[in-house]
Short mmCIF file of all heavy atoms in Angstrom, two decimals:
data_model
loop_
_atom_site.label_atom_id
_atom_site.label_comp_id
_atom_site.label_asym_id
_atom_site.label_seq_id
_atom_site.Cartn_x
_atom_site.Cartn_y
_atom_site.Cartn_z
N TYR A 62 3.03 9.74 -1.73
CA TYR A 62 2.14 10.60 -2.53
C TYR A 62 1.60 11.75 -1.63
O TYR A 62 1.60 11.65 -0.44
CB TYR A 62 0.93 9.75 -3.04
CG TYR A 62 1.32 8.78 -4.16
CD1 TYR A 62 1.70 7.54 -3.87
CD2 TYR A 62 1.27 9.22 -5.48
CE1 TYR A 62 2.06 6.62 -4.91
CE2 TYR A 62 1.61 8.36 -6.51
CZ TYR A 62 2.02 7.05 -6.19
OH TYR A 62 2.36 6.18 -7.22
N VAL A 63 1.14 12.79 -2.31
CA VAL A 63 0.59 13.90 -1.58
C VAL A 63 -0.74 14.33 -2.26
O VAL A 63 -0.91 14.07 -3.45
CB VAL A 63 1.54 15.14 -1.53
CG1 VAL A 63 2.84 14.80 -0.77
CG2 VAL A 63 1.84 15.65 -2.95
N VAL A 64 -1.65 14.91 -1.46
CA VAL A 64 -2.86 15.43 -2.03
C VAL A 64 -3.10 16.73 -1.28
O VAL A 64 -2.94 16.82 -0.07
CB VAL A 64 -4.03 14.46 -1.91
CG1 VAL A 64 -4.39 14.13 -0.44
CG2 VAL A 64 -5.23 14.96 -2.65
N VAL A 65 -3.47 17.78 -2.05
CA VAL A 65 -3.59 19.12 -1.51
C VAL A 65 -5.04 19.42 -1.11
O VAL A 65 -5.95 19.52 -1.94
CB VAL A 65 -3.12 20.19 -2.49
CG1 VAL A 65 -3.24 21.58 -1.91
CG2 VAL A 65 -1.73 19.87 -2.98
N CYS A 66 -5.26 19.51 0.23
CA CYS A 66 -6.59 19.59 0.78
C CYS A 66 -6.95 21.00 1.22
O CYS A 66 -7.39 21.25 2.38
CB CYS A 66 -6.75 18.61 1.98
SG CYS A 66 -6.45 16.90 1.53
N ALA A 67 -6.77 21.99 0.38
CA ALA A 67 -7.17 23.32 0.61
C ALA A 67 -8.53 23.53 -0.08
O ALA A 67 -8.73 23.16 -1.22
CB ALA A 67 -6.15 24.30 0.09
N GLY A 68 -9.46 24.17 0.58
CA GLY A 68 -10.78 24.34 0.06
C GLY A 68 -10.92 25.21 -1.14
O GLY A 68 -11.82 25.02 -1.95
N GLN A 69 -10.10 26.26 -1.23
CA GLN A 69 -10.18 27.18 -2.31
C GLN A 69 -9.24 26.80 -3.47
O GLN A 69 -8.04 26.44 -3.20
CB GLN A 69 -9.83 28.61 -1.86
CG GLN A 69 -10.81 29.21 -0.91
CD GLN A 69 -12.15 29.58 -1.59
OE1 GLN A 69 -12.16 29.82 -2.78
NE2 GLN A 69 -13.20 29.64 -0.78
N GLY A 70 -9.65 26.82 -4.70
CA GLY A 70 -8.87 26.38 -5.83
C GLY A 70 -7.59 27.19 -5.97
O GLY A 70 -6.53 26.60 -6.31
N ARG A 71 -7.66 28.50 -5.80
CA ARG A 71 -6.46 29.32 -5.93
C ARG A 71 -5.40 28.96 -4.87
O ARG A 71 -4.20 29.04 -5.14
CB ARG A 71 -6.82 30.79 -5.80
CG ARG A 71 -7.68 31.34 -6.88
CD ARG A 71 -7.01 31.31 -8.27
NE ARG A 71 -7.78 31.97 -9.26
CZ ARG A 71 -7.58 31.88 -10.59
NH1 ARG A 71 -6.61 31.10 -11.04
NH2 ARG A 71 -8.30 32.50 -11.45
N THR A 72 -5.84 28.60 -3.67
CA THR A 72 -4.91 28.21 -2.67
C THR A 72 -4.27 26.85 -3.03
O THR A 72 -3.08 26.61 -2.87
CB THR A 72 -5.61 28.07 -1.31
OG1 THR A 72 -6.24 29.30 -0.99
CG2 THR A 72 -4.61 27.69 -0.19
N ARG A 73 -5.08 25.89 -3.54
CA ARG A 73 -4.53 24.64 -4.02
C ARG A 73 -3.48 24.88 -5.11
O ARG A 73 -2.40 24.25 -5.09
CB ARG A 73 -5.62 23.69 -4.53
CG ARG A 73 -6.53 23.17 -3.44
CD ARG A 73 -7.32 21.97 -3.93
NE ARG A 73 -8.24 22.22 -5.00
CZ ARG A 73 -9.44 22.78 -4.88
NH1 ARG A 73 -9.92 23.16 -3.71
NH2 ARG A 73 -10.22 22.97 -5.96
N GLN A 74 -3.76 25.75 -6.03
CA GLN A 74 -2.86 26.03 -7.12
C GLN A 74 -1.56 26.61 -6.57
O GLN A 74 -0.45 26.20 -7.01
CB GLN A 74 -3.50 26.98 -8.11
CG GLN A 74 -2.67 27.27 -9.33
CD GLN A 74 -3.40 28.08 -10.38
OE1 GLN A 74 -4.48 28.57 -10.14
NE2 GLN A 74 -2.84 28.14 -11.57
N ALA A 75 -1.61 27.52 -5.62
CA ALA A 75 -0.42 28.11 -5.03
C ALA A 75 0.47 27.05 -4.35
O ALA A 75 1.67 27.13 -4.43
CB ALA A 75 -0.82 29.24 -4.06
N ILE A 76 -0.19 26.14 -3.66
CA ILE A 76 0.57 25.08 -3.00
C ILE A 76 1.21 24.15 -4.01
O ILE A 76 2.33 23.77 -3.88
CB ILE A 76 -0.36 24.27 -2.04
CG1 ILE A 76 -0.81 25.16 -0.90
CG2 ILE A 76 0.36 23.06 -1.50
CD1 ILE A 76 -1.87 24.58 -0.01
N VAL A 77 0.50 23.84 -5.04
CA VAL A 77 1.03 22.96 -6.11
C VAL A 77 2.18 23.65 -6.75
O VAL A 77 3.25 23.03 -7.08
CB VAL A 77 -0.04 22.57 -7.15
CG1 VAL A 77 0.61 21.91 -8.35
CG2 VAL A 77 -1.08 21.68 -6.53
N ASP A 78 2.14 24.96 -6.97
CA ASP A 78 3.24 25.71 -7.53
C ASP A 78 4.48 25.61 -6.66
O ASP A 78 5.60 25.46 -7.15
CB ASP A 78 2.84 27.18 -7.80
CG ASP A 78 1.85 27.33 -8.95
OD1 ASP A 78 1.71 26.38 -9.74
OD2 ASP A 78 1.22 28.44 -9.02
N ARG A 79 4.25 25.74 -5.32
CA ARG A 79 5.40 25.61 -4.40
C ARG A 79 6.03 24.23 -4.52
O ARG A 79 7.25 24.11 -4.50
CB ARG A 79 4.93 25.91 -2.97
CG ARG A 79 4.63 27.35 -2.70
CD ARG A 79 4.08 27.54 -1.27
NE ARG A 79 5.05 27.07 -0.27
CZ ARG A 79 4.74 26.99 1.04
NH1 ARG A 79 3.51 27.28 1.42
NH2 ARG A 79 5.64 26.58 1.92
N LEU A 80 5.19 23.20 -4.55
CA LEU A 80 5.71 21.87 -4.68
C LEU A 80 6.45 21.69 -5.98
O LEU A 80 7.54 21.01 -6.00
CB LEU A 80 4.54 20.87 -4.56
CG LEU A 80 3.84 20.82 -3.23
CD1 LEU A 80 2.60 19.94 -3.33
CD2 LEU A 80 4.77 20.27 -2.11
N THR A 81 5.97 22.22 -7.05
CA THR A 81 6.61 22.11 -8.37
C THR A 81 7.99 22.77 -8.34
O THR A 81 8.97 22.29 -8.89
CB THR A 81 5.77 22.78 -9.43
OG1 THR A 81 4.48 22.16 -9.51
CG2 THR A 81 6.43 22.70 -10.80
N ASP A 82 8.11 23.87 -7.58
CA ASP A 82 9.40 24.57 -7.44
C ASP A 82 10.43 23.67 -6.75
O ASP A 82 11.64 23.89 -6.86
CB ASP A 82 9.25 25.86 -6.70
CG ASP A 82 8.53 26.92 -7.48
OD1 ASP A 82 8.47 26.78 -8.71
OD2 ASP A 82 8.02 27.92 -6.88
N HIS A 83 9.94 22.66 -6.03
CA HIS A 83 10.84 21.74 -5.35
C HIS A 83 10.82 20.32 -6.01
O HIS A 83 11.09 19.31 -5.41
CB HIS A 83 10.47 21.58 -3.85
CG HIS A 83 10.78 22.77 -3.03
ND1 HIS A 83 9.98 23.89 -2.97
CD2 HIS A 83 11.83 22.99 -2.18
CE1 HIS A 83 10.55 24.80 -2.16
NE2 HIS A 83 11.66 24.28 -1.67
N ASP A 84 10.56 20.42 -7.35
CA ASP A 84 10.64 19.19 -8.17
C ASP A 84 9.68 18.11 -7.74
O ASP A 84 9.95 16.87 -7.95
CB ASP A 84 12.08 18.63 -8.21
CG ASP A 84 13.08 19.67 -8.77
OD1 ASP A 84 12.68 20.31 -9.76
OD2 ASP A 84 14.22 19.76 -8.29
N ILE A 85 8.56 18.45 -7.22
CA ILE A 85 7.49 17.52 -6.93
C ILE A 85 6.48 17.64 -8.04
O ILE A 85 5.73 18.61 -8.08
CB ILE A 85 6.87 17.74 -5.55
CG1 ILE A 85 7.92 17.53 -4.47
CG2 ILE A 85 5.68 16.83 -5.28
CD1 ILE A 85 7.47 17.88 -3.05
N GLY A 86 6.48 16.72 -8.93
CA GLY A 86 5.67 16.80 -10.16
C GLY A 86 4.44 15.97 -10.14
O GLY A 86 4.04 15.39 -9.07
N PRO A 87 3.72 15.83 -11.27
CA PRO A 87 2.48 15.12 -11.31
C PRO A 87 2.51 13.67 -10.80
O PRO A 87 1.48 13.22 -10.25
CB PRO A 87 2.09 15.17 -12.79
CG PRO A 87 2.77 16.36 -13.31
CD PRO A 87 4.08 16.47 -12.55
N SER A 88 3.64 12.99 -10.98
CA SER A 88 3.70 11.62 -10.55
C SER A 88 3.59 11.45 -8.99
O SER A 88 3.37 10.32 -8.53
CB SER A 88 4.98 10.96 -11.04
OG SER A 88 6.10 11.56 -10.45
N ARG A 89 3.78 12.50 -8.28
CA ARG A 89 3.72 12.42 -6.82
C ARG A 89 2.36 12.73 -6.25
O ARG A 89 2.17 12.54 -5.01
CB ARG A 89 4.79 13.41 -6.20
CG ARG A 89 6.21 13.04 -6.38
CD ARG A 89 6.56 11.94 -5.38
NE ARG A 89 6.23 12.24 -4.02
CZ ARG A 89 6.87 13.12 -3.22
NH1 ARG A 89 7.94 13.73 -3.67
NH2 ARG A 89 6.49 13.34 -2.03
N PHE A 90 1.43 13.16 -7.04
CA PHE A 90 0.13 13.54 -6.51
C PHE A 90 -0.81 12.34 -6.52
O PHE A 90 -0.93 11.63 -7.52
CB PHE A 90 -0.51 14.70 -7.31
CG PHE A 90 0.25 15.98 -7.13
CD1 PHE A 90 1.04 16.52 -8.12
CD2 PHE A 90 0.14 16.67 -5.92
CE1 PHE A 90 1.70 17.68 -7.93
CE2 PHE A 90 0.84 17.86 -5.74
CZ PHE A 90 1.63 18.34 -6.74
#
Side-chain angles (χ1 to χ4, degrees):
Y62 287 90
V63 297
V64 64
V65 182
C66 301
Q69 294 288 337
R71 294 297 188 194
T72 304
R73 290 198 298 279
Q74 185 172 10
I76 294 171
V77 171
D78 288 345
R79 287 176 61 187
L80 295 171
T81 301
D82 289 342
H83 286 81
D84 297 322
I85 297 175
S88 64
R89 287 285 310 283
F90 292 107

